[in-house]
Amino acid sequence: MGNPNIAAATSILGGTVYGTVANSLTEVLENAASSNSVLKVNSIVIINIDGTNAADVSATLSDASGGSDVTIAHEITVPAKSNLVLVSADMRIYLLENKAINLLASAASDLNYVISYETIS
């Protein structure tokens, strides 16, 4: 299907994914190639759980099948014990089929992420 008409949606389901940002570029949210849906990413929040050190985060959009990445955030510093909002209601992202969001941290186990999204089909 590729890009369904979201004005004629028959289903909108909310979802949340969360975890630790790895220190290698890692896919954290994917819209499968044959999903017949669009994922509307409402927010991406990065949380620095380290009590002392800042850490950097980078984010990319890519083809889920391993295509080229497009950077949407590059080495943004998240101070110790603070949050960074990468995506909010001001700047939603729509993931079409076969697209993914990937995250990368400068330090292992320092950053967590929470992504709120809707699956529209």
Side-chain angles (χ1 to χ4, degrees), residues 46-101:
I46 307 298
I47 306 97
N48 188 335
I49 59 173
D50 187 302
T52 307
N53 300 307
D56 296 340
V57 66
S58 296
T60 65
L61 295 176
S62 68
D63 289 331
S65 60
S68 60
D69 292 351
V70 174
T71 302
I72 60 173
H74 182 68
E75 296 180 358
I76 299 174
T77 300
V78 184
K81 297 193 266 182
S82 68
N83 299 340
L84 169 69
V85 178
L86 284 180
V87 173
S88 69
D90 298 348
M91 184 196 90
R92 293 185 180 111
I93 293 174
Y94 289 90
L95 288 183
L96 303 181
E97 288 182 342
N98 200 39
K99 302 297 180 192
I101 293 176

Side-chain angles (χ1 to χ4, degrees), residues 9-63:
T10 58
S11 174
I12 301 174
L13 303 172
T16 303
V17 294
Y18 51 88
T20 301
V21 182
N23 62 344
S24 61
L25 192 63
T26 304
E27 185 177 285
V28 294
L29 181 63
E30 173 191 1
N31 189 7
S34 59
S35 69
N36 294 321
S37 64
V38 170
L39 299 184
K40 181 172 78 170
V41 179
N42 296 314
S43 66
I44 301 175
V45 180
I46 307 298
I47 306 97
N48 188 335
I49 59 173
D50 187 302
T52 307
N53 300 307
D56 296 340
V57 66
S58 296
T60 65
L61 295 176
S62 68
D63 289 331

